[in-house]
């Protein structure tokens, strides 16, 4: 899962909350019901057409649905018509716990005093459509459920109802959104289970969405995409680059911070400390092609395929290509976070190498446990092939050509090669190995600016999140205290204005206001 969500689950482990505990979640709901009594909102008014539909759904016995309600109250206080879309449909286990649903229903009943509430389960609207996205959502949610690609085909074959249930719900959501004509939707996630259906149907209908993802002390917000996919990075990056085209001092400032940040990560001194050893640019690491893998079942890596069917297909075709090019070498690096048992996936991509005996010693797989620094591998490489890893930005900063096969968030930022077919992909790799792909100084600068914005402006540092340690504190605070904090002011401004949060954070730091096209 993305780095913020890693901390989310680490906090669960430290607090002993990795297993559902009815008394804990009951207390979460009850504290929110007490909050309504302590800080009552405005009485419900008849909602005109438009406004925002706030999707509230069960979320692993966490405070996510209550966080959505709190954001709904803030939007209503700003004069925005709000309708609560209470959706207890069980897709991929998101509402499998009936007791959790019953507890949330208490909060929903209380919310009816302030909002119009649509119980999506009782909606009779039905608007059948092609729903071409269903196949991808089914596969990717299966990957998340199984913590990897292994077994996905069998899971779907053994559970044919998954397809019919998701298709039926997509038809219901489509009918509802066509009838209600909201201006936009606010929903958690945007990939998993019910949230993925809303995001895809909204995109099909041209309806704007805003999503959020979080961990303790950390919040990500995305407009018209999944927050975990960092969907607002490209627009803001390109706008900042355009705005600072004649501002050498500002670009130097951003690039300087980016350089210092990457040096911290290379040493393994960053907050996550995933590198087992500090970078030393060791001469023993000389592999032409470096493949830094993502945590496959993480939200950040779901629904990102482009040129290949899945990661297994991508690696298989790559290894087959290298086998046919006897001078090429390749190193595949498992994501370092998989050295932690709680984050480990079920895929063992190292076994793929045995399928290509012609590779011999020209291919190697570095596991998460291996004492190797990813940046040493990059330093000795000729080309880097990431999936959606931030390492791709860093590699470009370090002057290495980066070729993308997935719909990665930094793909439109102007420092990667983005082939549009598998043939073009492998042709680009051949060009890189022959030295024909050179990273210009301008491209390195674009990568550095992207890195600065991603590292310094994307993540909102706030204690107002649905994570249990944060929720237990802010649920006691009056709304004005929460929303008067500068970070949360930016959050509310982003929700109300639909301006990307990363842009607002950059504005606060640099005193700039790049105009980002919507």
């Amino acid at each position: 899962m993305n780095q913020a969500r890693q901390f989310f689950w680490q906090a669960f482990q430290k607090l002993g909350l990795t297993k559902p505990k009815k008394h804990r979640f009951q207390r979460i709901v009850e504290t929110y019901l007490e909050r309504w009594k302590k800080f009552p909102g405005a009485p419900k008014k008849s909602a005109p057409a438009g406004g925002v539909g706030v999707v509230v759904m069960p979320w692993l016995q966490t405070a996510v649905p209550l966080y959505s309600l709190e954001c709904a109250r803030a939007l209503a206080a700003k004069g925005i018509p709000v309708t609560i879309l209470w959706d207890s449909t069980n897709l991929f286990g998101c509402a499998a716990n009936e007791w959790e649903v019953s507890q949330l229903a208490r909060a929903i009943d209380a919310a009816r005093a302030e909002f119009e509430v649509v119980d999506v389960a009782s909606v009779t609207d039905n608007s059948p459509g092609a729903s071409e996205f269903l196949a991808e959502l089914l596969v990717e949610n299966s990957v998340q459920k199984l913590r990897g690609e292994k077994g996905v085909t069998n899971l779907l074959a053994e559970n044919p109802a998954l397809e019919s249930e998701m298709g039926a719900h997509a038809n219901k959501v489509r009918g509802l959104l066509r009838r209600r004509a909201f201006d936009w939707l606010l929903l958690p996630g945007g990939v998993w289970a019910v949230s993925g259906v809303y995001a895809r149907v909204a995109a099909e209908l041209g309806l704007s969405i805003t999503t959020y993802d979080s961990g303790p002390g950390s919040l990500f917000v995305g407009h018209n995409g999944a927050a975990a996919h960092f969907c607002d990075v490209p627009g803001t990056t390109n706008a900042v680059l355009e705005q600072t085209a004649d501002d050498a001092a500002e670009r130097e400032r951003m690039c300087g911070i980016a350089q210092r940040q990457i040096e911290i990560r290379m040493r393994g001194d960053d907050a996550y400390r995933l590198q087992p050893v500090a970078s030393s640019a060791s001469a023993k690491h000389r592999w032409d092609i470096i493949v830094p893998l993502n945590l496959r079942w993480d939200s950040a890596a779901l629904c990102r395929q482009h040129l290949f069917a899945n990661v297994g297909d991508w690696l298989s075709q790559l290894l087959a290509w290298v086998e046919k090019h006897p001078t090429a070498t390749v190193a595949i690096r498992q994501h370092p976070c998989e050295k932690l048992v709680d984050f480990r996936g079920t895929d063992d991509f190292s076994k793929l190498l045995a399928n290509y005996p012609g590779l011999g010693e020209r291919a190697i797989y570095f596991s998460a446990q291996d004492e190797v620094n990813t940046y040493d591998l990059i330093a000795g490489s000729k080309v880097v092939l990431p999936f959606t890893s931030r390492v791709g930005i860093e590699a470009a900063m370090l002057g290495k050509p980066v070729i993308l096969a997935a719909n990665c968030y930094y793909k439109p930022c102007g420092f990667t090669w983005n082939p549009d077919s598998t043939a073009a992909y492998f042709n680009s790799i051949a060009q890189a190995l022959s030295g024909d792909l050179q990273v210009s100084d301008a491209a390195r600068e674009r990568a550095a600016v992207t890195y600065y914005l991603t590292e310094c402006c994307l993540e909102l540092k706030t204690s107002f999140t649905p994570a249990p340690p944060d929720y237990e504190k802010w649920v006691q605070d009056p709304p004005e205290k929460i929303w008067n904090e500068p970070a949360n002011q930016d959050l509310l401004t982003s929700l109300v204005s639909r301006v990307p949060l990363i842009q607002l954070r950059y504005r606060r730091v640099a005193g700039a206001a790049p105009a980002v096209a919507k």
Side-chain angles (χ1 to χ4, degrees):
M1 60 193 69
N2 65 42
Q3 294 172 337
R5 292 182 72 186
Q6 287 182 30
F7 281 126
F8 178 85
W9 288 105
Q10 287 170 348
F12 262 45
Q13 294 156 10
K14 291 177 182 178
L15 294 173
L17 304 179
T18 50
K19 295 182 179 180
K21 294 184 177 180
K22 290 186 177 181
H23 64 83
R24 172 182 59 84
F25 187 66
Q26 184 173 357
R27 180 58 185 164
I28 286 176
V29 173
E30 288 177 349
T31 53
Y32 202 72
L33 293 174
E34 293 167 3
R35 175 179 179 77
W36 260 322
K37 295 177 182 178
K38 189 175 182 180
F39 309 114
K44 179 173 65 177
K45 298 180 180 178
S46 57
V52 56
V54 177
V55 179
V56 179
M57 56 178 283
W59 203 277
L60 304 172
Q61 291 197 31
T62 69
V64 166
L66 305 178
Y67 185 84
S68 294
L69 288 174
E70 190 66 18
C71 290
R73 300 183 89 196
L75 291 169
K78 287 291 185 179
I80 297 176
V82 174
T83 300
I84 302 299
L85 304 181
W86 162 233
D87 200 328
S88 57
T89 305
N90 182 30
L91 296 179
F92 281 90
C94 67
N97 190 309
E98 294 181 1
W99 180 84
E100 177 187 12
V101 173
S102 70
Q103 292 299 306
L104 284 175
R106 298 168 60 201
I108 294 299
D109 285 342
R112 297 180 195 275
E114 295 181 34
F115 304 108
E116 176 189 10
V117 175
V118 175
D119 187 342
V120 180
S122 64
V123 168
T124 57
D125 294 343
N126 202 19
S127 181
S131 297
E132 296 176 355
F133 56 79
L134 284 177
E136 182 180 31
L137 279 183
L138 286 165
V139 168
E140 295 297 275
N141 274 275
S142 298
V143 168
Q144 194 278 335
K145 181 179 180 66
L146 297 172
R147 297 169 70 102
E149 295 177 354
K150 181 180 179 181
V152 166
T153 300
N154 288 340
L155 174 68
L156 293 175
E158 294 169 1
N159 298 274
L162 289 173
E163 181 176 4
S164 58
E165 290 169 355
M166 183 172 280
H169 197 61
N171 292 343
K172 178 176 289 192
V173 170
R174 187 183 294 107
L176 170 64
L177 298 184
R178 279 180 170 163
R179 175 172 62 85
R180 296 303 300 265
F182 294 109
D183 295 326
W184 58 286
L185 299 179
L186 174 65
L187 65 149
V191 178
W192 179 54
V194 166
S195 76
V197 172
Y198 277 91
R200 291 303 187 91
V201 171
E204 176 188 295
L205 300 179
L207 175 62
S208 294
I209 64 170
T210 293
T211 64
Y212 66 86
D213 201 349
S214 69
S218 173
L219 188 77
F220 294 89
V221 173
H223 296 299
N224 295 322
H229 292 169
F230 299 170
C231 51
D232 289 330
V233 168
T236 301
T237 295
N238 290 322
V240 168
L241 285 165
E242 181 178 353
Q243 178 182 324
T244 60
D246 299 320
D247 191 344
E250 173 59 7
R251 289 208 176 192
E252 183 177 353
R253 181 190 73 84
M254 291 187 286
C255 292
I257 294 174
Q259 183 61 37
R260 290 191 290 275
Q261 185 62 32
I262 193 175
E263 290 170 357
I264 292 172
R265 287 170 64 91
M266 291 172 70
R267 294 195 303 269
D269 290 337
D270 57 299
Y272 308 107
R273 297 186 178 277
L274 294 178
Q275 298 301 326
V277 293
S279 175
S280 62
S282 173
K284 69 179 181 180
H285 294 304
R286 297 294 177 187
W287 302 89
D288 296 334
I289 302 168
I290 302 301
V291 183
L293 297 179
N294 281 78
L295 183 61
R296 180 62 181 98
W297 56 278
D298 177 13
S299 293
L302 297 179
C303 299
R304 299 288 84 194
Q305 284 83 2
H306 176 48
L307 298 183
F308 301 93
N310 50 49
V311 171
D313 176 47
W314 168 46
L315 295 179
S316 296
Q317 291 200 45
L318 174 62
L319 292 172
W321 185 89
V322 174
E323 187 180 41
K324 295 176 182 177
H325 293 74
T327 63
T329 62
V330 60
I332 300 171
R333 172 60 160 155
Q334 185 182 29
H335 196 292
C337 76
E338 293 204 55
K339 64 187 175 184
L340 305 174
V341 174
D342 293 302
F343 304 139
R344 194 167 299 158
T346 56
D347 293 316
D348 185 359
F349 292 122
S350 67
K351 294 181 178 179
L352 291 175
L353 274 64
N355 297 333
Y356 306 92
L359 289 171
E361 296 182 352
R362 293 189 294 116
I364 191 170
Y365 182 93
F366 289 107
S367 74
Q369 290 79 17
D370 287 335
E371 294 287 306
V372 61
N373 186 290
T374 302
Y375 302 96
D376 286 351
L377 298 176
I378 293 173
S381 72
K382 294 181 180 178
V383 63
V384 177
L385 308 179
F387 188 62
T388 67
S389 173
R390 196 174 304 189
V391 169
I393 310 176
E394 296 168 326
M397 289 174 61
L398 296 172
K400 301 296 181 178
V402 175
I403 305 172
L404 297 178
N407 287 320
C408 178
Y409 65 95
Y410 50 82
K411 183 177 179 180
C413 292
F415 55 84
T416 59
W417 278 264
N418 308 318
D420 58 5
S421 68
T422 56
Y425 182 71
F426 290 115
N427 183 59
S428 295
I429 295 174
Q431 289 180 297
L433 297 185
S434 63
D436 293 334
L437 299 188
Q438 296 295 319
V439 183
S440 67
D441 290 341
R444 295 181 69 167
E445 184 181 57
R446 293 183 74 89
V449 170
T450 304
Y451 195 63
Y452 163 77
L453 291 168
T454 303
E455 289 284 312
C456 301
C457 303
L458 179 66
E459 179 181 2
L460 187 69
K461 299 289 188 179
T462 176
S463 59
F464 178 56
T465 81
D470 294 333
Y471 172 79
E472 294 294 340
K473 296 176 183 177
W474 66 255
V475 74
Q476 308 296 334
D477 293 335
E480 56 268 23
K481 179 180 179 181
I482 294 172
W483 297 107
N484 282 336
E485 294 182 8
N488 298 336
Q489 287 179 358
D490 287 346
L491 169 60
L492 187 55
T493 297
S494 181
L495 294 179
V496 172
S497 67
R498 316 301 317 297
V499 173
L501 183 58
I502 183 176
Q503 175 185 335
L504 297 175
R505 299 305 292 168
Y506 173 71
R507 178 189 302 177
R508 187 176 288 278
V509 171
V516 178
K518 297 298 288 182

